[in-house]
Amino acid sequence: MNPNSNAATTRAMVTIAARTLRHVQGWTAPDGPGLLMTMDLLATAAEQVAGAEIPAGIDGVIVSAFGDPGRADLAARLAVPVVGIGESAALAAAKGGRRYAVVTHTPGLVDGIDALMRASAPGGAYLGTFLASGDALALAADAQALDTALLAAARRAHAAGAEAVIIGGGPLGEAAERLRPQAPCALVAPIPEAARRLLSLLQDIS
């Protein structure tokens, strides 16, 4: 489920998740911005996710915005596992008590990101959010500039002590895949982590 309204982003997310999960279907927010950039927009997206009509026969759901908007409310009304990419990434990054940080390009979501990270993986040492330099919309439209800015932020996080960095954002899924070979430390990509977590939950059920 893509709580952003950009269908092209949804297709990219589905492609990434499908490397782990078979028969992935995409859902795109029916309205709202193509990129969630403020806590108010995230709250509106949460309402859309929580109230979305889920097709019959779905075995599990991934909420693919980094704040996990609407995940808890959707999970409360469905009889299948519902995971968020933010929580899934935090659990993976904090494994073994690692020091970890988030790298992203949306300053308006930092408070929510920080709260989610601390709540999701209290056993890890969360160092905070490191922002890519530049306007989020401009970076989103220029893959090379986005990669450069995210990598610079990842290096700052690593210099501050991070043993793992999360590329924080569903729309940053492709960037996370591109940056993995260049990352200065372990790079955690949220969509693959959520897909692996959902697969594990489904296998436990079966």
Side-chain angles (χ1 to χ4, degrees), residues 47 54 120 172 201:
E47 295 175 2
I54 305 301
S120 298
L172 299 179
L201 290 170

Side-chain angles (χ1 to χ4, degrees), residues 87 89-100 114-127 163:
E87 181 183 39
L91 292 169
K95 191 173 294 184
R98 287 192 297 193
R99 297 185 301 276
Y100 71 103
D114 288 347
L116 179 63
M117 292 297 101
R118 294 189 181 101
S120 298
Y126 178 56
L127 302 181
E163 299 168 282

Side-chain angles (χ1 to χ4, degrees), residues 1 33 43 48-49 55 59 67 72 84 92 99 109 118 126 140 159 166 169 174 194 198 203:
M1 298 184 73
Q48 293 183 331
V49 169
D59 296 311
R99 297 185 301 276
L109 299 179
R118 294 189 181 101
Y126 178 56
I166 300 169
E174 291 179 305
L198 181 56
Q203 290 172 337

